[in-house]
Amino acid sequence: MSAALIKDYVARYSFKSDEISINGIRKLTTQDQGYELSFEAKSMIAKLEFNSSFIVSEDRVISKTYKVKIKPKFVKRDQSIDFKYNKKQITSLGRNSWGVEFNPMERPLDPMNAQIQIRLNLLQGMNEFSLKLLEVKNGEIQDNFYKIIRNESCVLSGNNYECVVLKRFREKENRETLYYLIPDIDYMFLKIIDTGPERNQKLELLEILSLG
């Protein structure tokens, strides 16, 4: 299984939370030394930018940097995270500033590139697996468990697809995250619905602008 099976793409997504509703462009692009996954959206009251740089080796994602820029008129919430493998450190600057030591062999993932690892795992036929995710607030690395719980009919741009629904389990949080993915498009994310006592979020694919 090769990472090349996940094609570069440009797509339009909607993002909704308790605080904001906004549409933006999500891109996966191949770089000279790895990949970049980004989401950019802008409205009258806010501008969102999320960016993850990473490489893929033997079907495993290796994080490099993760950057967030959120600029509503009333607050700025920028954050930049750097994975320093030679020093065995992860550092964060901005809204949440911290530094932690980590085991590079664990290959912790950021909130965006974890989605690439999910797709790679599903392409390899995994129905159940676990990933180590970085908590961007404090640098804690948490085990996250995933399992396909059902299939469901879905619609994208007027076309019918059979989706798989993947559920994430986290031991330390009373949160439910459901991922709706389309196997016929290399497990492209159709929807991500995240619900919990602290926040509710939904990311939904509206239109694929380019693929491959």
Side-chain angles (χ1 to χ4, degrees), residues 8-12 25-28 207-211:
D8 288 3
Y9 68 86
V10 180
R12 191 163 60 91
I25 299 298
R26 189 175 173 96
K27 296 180 183 179
L28 175 65
E207 180 184 9
I208 297 175
L209 303 176
S210 69
L211 182 64

Side-chain angles (χ1 to χ4, degrees), residues 156-212:
L156 172 63
S157 300
N159 297 314
N160 295 318
Y161 293 94
E162 186 75 10
C163 290
V164 298
V165 181
L166 187 74
K167 185 174 182 178
R168 183 178 73 175
F169 303 86
R170 301 185 75 171
E171 294 180 348
K172 295 185 178 181
E173 291 189 6
N174 184 24
R175 259 169 66 198
E176 179 181 87
T177 306
L178 296 177
Y179 305 86
Y180 294 73
L181 305 103
I182 306 175
D184 288 347
I185 319 179
D186 300 330
Y187 291 94
M188 178 81 80
F189 284 89
L190 177 65
K191 289 186 290 186
I192 303 175
I193 302 174
D194 188 36
T195 57
E198 293 185 359
R199 67 178 185 273
N200 298 289
Q201 298 180 151
K202 180 180 180 181
L203 182 73
E204 184 168 9
L205 175 60
L206 302 176
E207 180 184 9
I208 297 175
L209 303 176
S210 69
L211 182 64

Side-chain angles (χ1 to χ4, degrees), residues 7-202:
K7 304 178 182 67
D8 288 3
Y9 68 86
V10 180
R12 191 163 60 91
Y13 277 82
S14 68
F15 175 77
K16 296 179 181 180
S17 70
D18 298 331
E19 299 174 336
I20 193 171
S21 177
I22 195 169
N23 293 346
I25 299 298
R26 189 175 173 96
K27 296 180 183 179
L28 175 65
T29 55
T30 303
Q31 307 288 320
D32 291 338
Q33 296 183 354
Y35 301 86
E36 181 178 275
L37 181 61
S38 64
F39 177 71
E40 296 186 8
K42 188 176 182 179
S43 72
M44 294 290 291
I45 62 171
K47 181 179 181 181
L48 310 181
E49 295 180 15
F50 298 84
N51 183 286
S52 173
S53 296
F54 58 94
I55 63 176
V56 178
S57 176
E58 298 179 351
D59 297 316
R60 291 190 63 185
V61 171
I62 302 174
S63 305
K64 294 172 62 179
T65 62
Y66 176 69
K67 297 180 180 180
V68 178
K69 292 184 179 181
I70 303 177
K71 298 180 180 179
K73 288 183 177 179
F74 52 86
V75 67
K76 290 181 66 175
R77 294 186 289 182
D78 296 358
Q79 186 172 3
S80 179
I81 297 174
D82 188 10
F83 294 77
K84 302 175 180 178
Y85 290 87
N86 57 334
K87 295 182 178 180
K88 300 181 180 180
Q89 293 179 342
I90 306 173
T91 58
S92 173
L93 299 175
R95 182 191 181 193
N96 300 298
S97 295
W98 45 259
V100 297
E101 295 184 352
F102 79 111
N103 179 1
M105 297 302 294
E106 290 186 343
R107 297 187 179 181
L109 303 168
D110 68 47
M112 291 192 75
N113 66 32
Q115 297 169 22
I116 300 299
Q117 188 64 66
I118 288 172
R119 294 179 64 189
L120 287 170
N121 288 355
L122 294 174
L123 283 166
Q124 294 179 77
M126 298 184 189
N127 295 323
E128 191 171 354
F129 52 88
S130 64
L131 302 175
K132 291 188 178 295
L133 264 63
L134 179 72
E135 176 54 62
V136 299
K137 290 182 179 180
N138 55 26
E140 183 179 355
I141 297 172
Q142 299 182 357
D143 289 314
N144 289 248
F145 302 91
Y146 302 81
K147 183 178 182 179
I148 292 177
I149 57 172
R150 65 177 182 269
N151 291 349
E152 191 171 305
S153 297
C154 300
V155 178
L156 172 63
S157 300
N159 297 314
N160 295 318
Y161 293 94
E162 186 75 10
C163 290
V164 298
V165 181
L166 187 74
K167 185 174 182 178
R168 183 178 73 175
F169 303 86
R170 301 185 75 171
E171 294 180 348
K172 295 185 178 181
E173 291 189 6
N174 184 24
R175 259 169 66 198
E176 179 181 87
T177 306
L178 296 177
Y179 305 86
Y180 294 73
L181 305 103
I182 306 175
D184 288 347
I185 319 179
D186 300 330
Y187 291 94
M188 178 81 80
F189 284 89
L190 177 65
K191 289 186 290 186
I192 303 175
I193 302 174
D194 188 36
T195 57
E198 293 185 359
R199 67 178 185 273
N200 298 289
Q201 298 180 151
K202 180 180 180 181

